[in-house]
Amino acid sequence: MRLENSIKMAGRRIIWSSPLLTVHTANGFNWLRAICRNQRNLFYTGQSSKSQDPVEHCKQFSISHIDHVVLTVENIESTVKFYTKVLGMEEIIFGKGRKALSFGNQKFNLHQRGKEFEPKAANPTPGSVDICLVTDTPISSVIAHLKSLKVEVEEGPIQRTGAQGPIMSVYFRDPDRNLIEVSNYNIDR
């Protein structure tokens, strides 16, 4: 079925057809029409739409959140002990005895170095992660907790920028030397 439509854009009559994606305009420019997420969108493509792939212009899907991250570690038991004691995560066992660390709606799946589950990262390496974890606890309280457990603070408190704005952070390392940043969005605390 061929659907033809026309609209006025910037005072010019633009005609497009679908599903053929052939486009004509009153002023000689070419426009490419693509339907993304059930909405009509027009994309200016310059002089020729023949060489343009409509899929390149369409956002096919979007990511809503992270479900889990895999940490490759030297020793699963020492990792579990650190993350449960220092960061308050919960140890969970799933599958055929696999271990993970649960927090919020996410988890860290744990792989023992040399005994990784397939598929795996191209170069699974202990100590290669640099991650920021968010807490509602004031950073001063986080630092006091770290010091009480003799966890060396590498840097902080220090203001940084998180995914949603300014954060107050503290940095330290886990047993595999991964860099752990714990942050709070309430920077006045």
Side-chain angles (χ1 to χ4, degrees):
M1 174 179 167
R2 186 174 178 171
L3 173 67
E4 290 198 6
N5 295 293
S6 70
I7 62 169
K8 272 192 150 181
M9 180 178 275
R12 299 180 181 104
R13 185 167 177 245
I14 300 169
I15 301 169
W16 74 91
S17 60
S18 176
L20 302 176
L21 297 174
T22 56
V23 181
H24 306 281
T25 66
N27 66 354
F29 288 102
N30 292 303
W31 290 78
L32 173 64
R33 178 182 177 271
I35 299 175
C36 296
R37 304 176 93 192
N38 298 322
Q39 296 179 0
R40 290 182 179 165
N41 297 304
L42 290 174
F43 298 95
Y44 175 65
T45 62
Q47 296 194 7
S48 175
S49 64
K50 292 179 183 176
S51 65
Q52 300 294 322
D53 180 0
V55 176
E56 289 177 7
H57 299 286
C58 249
K59 185 177 180 183
Q60 300 298 317
F61 66 93
S62 63
I63 302 299
S64 64
H65 62 279
I66 292 175
D67 181 80
H68 69 275
V69 173
V70 175
L71 295 180
T72 301
V73 302
E74 290 290 347
N75 183 296
I76 289 178
E77 293 311 316
S78 65
T79 300
V80 167
K81 183 178 177 182
F82 178 87
Y83 281 84
T84 56
K85 188 173 183 181
V86 175
L87 294 169
M89 294 184 182
E90 180 184 350
E91 176 185 9
I92 59 173
I93 299 173
F94 67 102
K96 296 180 180 178
R98 293 183 60 188
K99 292 195 176 184
L101 297 158
S102 176
F103 58 101
N105 293 319
Q106 299 79 224
K107 65 177 182 167
F108 290 149
N109 287 350
L110 303 177
H111 284 189
Q112 180 80 37
R113 179 185 206 169
K115 298 178 184 177
E116 297 87 2
F117 293 89
E118 297 292 340
K120 64 179 182 270
N123 298 300
T125 308
S128 63
V129 172
D130 177 345
I131 194 161
C132 178
L133 305 170
V134 178
T135 183
D136 291 327
T137 303
I139 292 302
S140 59
S141 297
V142 172
I143 292 171
H145 173 69
L146 294 172
K147 288 181 179 180
S148 75
L149 296 173
K150 298 187 179 8
V151 174
E152 183 181 342
V153 172
E154 195 159 303
E155 188 172 3
I158 187 165
Q159 188 171 338
R160 297 288 194 218
T161 303
Q164 298 175 4
I167 52 178
M168 189 59 69
S169 298
V170 60
Y171 293 84
F172 54 95
R173 299 208 179 253
D174 74 0
D176 289 298
R177 306 292 296 149
N178 291 305
L179 183 62
I180 308 300
E181 176 183 1
V182 174
S183 300
N184 186 310
Y185 275 95
N186 188 348
I187 61 173
D188 295 330
R189 293 169 60 176

